[in-house]
Amino acid sequence: MKRSQLLLIFLFGLAGVFIIWAAIRPNPLQHFIYEGFDTWIEIDLPSRHQSLSQNIAAIIQELDEKWDRFDQRSEVWKINQNQEPIEIGNSTCDLILRAQELQNLTEGFFNIFLGSLMDEWSFNNIPRLPSPDRIQVLTEQVASSAIFINKETKSAQRIGQGKIDLGGIAKGYLVDIIIIELEKKQVSPALVNAGGTVFALGKKFRVGILHPRQESLVGVIEVKDQAVSTSGDYYRFFEQEGIRYYHIINPYTGYSSGYFSSVTVVYPNAADADAISTAVMAGGPKLIPIVERRFPGVAIIAIQSDEKLIMNNAALKIFQKDSTDKIHP
């Protein structure tokens, strides 16, 4: 593939993504940027399909309003404030059901009941180190919390004191919904990028993986009809007494794990890729062989805190060390 077609996606975990790429001739893609889910959502479509932009904007707005746990109008906020069944839409029902499945498949390291812990760490505001006693109380709440979904009545009932936070899966699920919409309209090629979770539709794109501590790339991967999701410790974090604390929390300890600086996952489903990268960041190396068994074909590229690169066999097949790995403004 020509260098001019190299797609560099600077994957900053859960937010802050920049895309630098050259239009593909003779069918240039038109670039659209939307705001939602506390990040920028970028979509590249063939010019002849630019009329779909308004439909996509409506999807983003609708789902953002449903899943923003800080918005009193949202379905998630209502679930978090009640112990009674709350009526929810089809998309929320499907998302929570898949999140429950992913929690089981990742040995609980992906968990949607981390809202209260995230608030205690204050990663959405000014981060701080909570007291050990408070961490223990909140991790016990996480362990004892569950949610019951009634498919017939389309309702959700929260059990326990843990608060739902869909940040580890919502953007991936959004990407999947947008891709489904594009496929219905027979749009190809296209690129969808929601805050670090990317899907390359109908064409091979080369994706650059950012070094978590340097302004350079560790390498590139080539993907087609697959999602790429990166979770990292370098966006929402603080350091205290030489320890880096970041926003991806191990639900069993209440602290960030510190095994990896970043984890990139390639998988056909963006919601799953999003959740897996979060889970491996939280669970560490021991979770990788479990994920490989339960998600056949998944590619995992992890960078340890000592900057050592770890890849499974599926990742080795698609990873390339790029010779021009410096990032220029």
Side-chain angles (χ1 to χ4, degrees), residues 19-310:
I19 298 179
I20 303 174
W21 69 298
I24 306 167
R25 306 292 190 238
N27 297 308
L29 302 186
Q30 188 163 352
H31 190 63
F32 297 91
I33 301 177
Y34 311 86
E35 187 176 359
F37 291 75
D38 294 323
T39 188
W40 299 106
I41 296 143
E42 302 179 88
I43 299 177
D44 294 278
L45 304 171
S47 299
R48 65 184 181 277
H49 294 295
Q50 60 181 307
S51 60
L52 293 176
S53 176
Q54 291 184 345
N55 293 355
I56 294 170
I59 290 171
I60 293 169
Q61 181 178 354
E62 177 189 357
L63 297 182
D64 195 12
E65 290 175 354
K66 286 179 181 292
W67 300 339
D68 184 352
R69 70 183 180 94
F70 299 107
D71 188 338
Q72 297 184 13
R73 300 167 297 177
S74 79
E75 293 176 351
V76 172
W77 187 89
K78 293 173 183 177
I79 293 169
N80 281 339
Q81 303 306 312
N82 294 275
Q83 296 287 322
E84 301 298 323
I86 300 298
E87 184 178 348
I88 58 175
N90 289 330
S91 56
T92 305
C93 180
D94 293 343
L95 174 55
I96 293 177
L97 287 171
R98 185 54 184 163
Q100 290 177 316
E101 294 171 350
L102 288 165
Q103 179 173 335
N104 293 331
L105 290 169
T106 61
E107 298 293 300
F109 285 103
F110 171 75
N111 194 304
I112 62 171
F113 287 100
L114 298 178
S116 296
L117 264 170
M118 292 292 290
D119 291 342
E120 190 67 25
W121 282 94
S122 192
F123 281 113
N124 291 308
N125 192 6
I126 302 175
R128 61 174 182 265
L129 180 61
S131 70
D133 289 343
R134 185 61 179 156
I135 290 290
Q136 181 176 351
V137 169
L138 293 176
T139 52
E140 289 173 356
Q141 289 182 4
V142 172
S144 61
S145 295
I147 188 166
F148 175 73
I149 301 294
N150 188 319
K151 296 181 183 179
E152 295 182 359
T153 62
K154 289 295 188 296
S155 64
Q157 183 174 10
R158 184 174 57 96
I159 301 168
Q161 298 303 309
K163 298 294 180 69
I164 293 175
D165 185 327
L166 298 175
I169 189 174
K171 286 187 282 293
Y173 193 86
L174 168 68
V175 170
D176 287 332
I177 289 179
I178 293 173
I179 290 297
I180 290 171
E181 182 69 15
L182 295 179
E183 289 177 330
K184 286 180 181 178
K185 304 295 185 180
Q186 297 183 328
V187 177
S188 181
L191 182 76
V192 180
N193 171 24
T197 299
V198 178
F199 198 100
L201 176 64
K203 175 193 176 297
K204 287 184 178 180
F205 288 90
R206 298 185 73 206
V207 179
I209 302 174
L210 184 71
H211 194 292
R213 298 290 184 269
Q214 302 174 18
E215 292 186 359
S216 63
L217 303 177
V218 297
V220 296
I221 52 178
E222 191 172 84
V223 293
K224 175 185 177 183
D225 296 329
Q226 287 185 306
V228 181
S229 177
T230 293
S231 298
D233 68 355
Y234 42 90
Y235 176 65
R236 281 184 274 176
F237 73 95
F238 68 97
E239 294 185 353
Q240 186 167 320
E241 297 181 356
I243 300 175
R244 177 176 292 227
Y245 299 98
Y246 52 92
H247 71 288
I248 302 172
I249 301 297
N250 181 328
Y252 296 107
T253 66
Y255 294 87
S256 48
S257 295
Y259 295 113
F260 297 126
S261 295
S262 75
V263 173
T264 296
V265 169
V266 182
Y267 199 64
N269 177 282
D272 288 8
D274 198 358
I276 293 167
S277 65
T278 301
V280 175
M281 277 290 294
K286 65 181 180 182
L287 191 59
I288 292 178
I290 296 172
V291 167
E292 286 181 299
R293 289 196 302 270
R294 296 175 179 174
F295 298 88
V298 66
I300 300 173
I301 302 167
I303 303 174
Q304 293 184 165
S305 55
D306 62 3
E307 302 187 10
K308 180 181 178 181
L309 192 63
I310 293 178

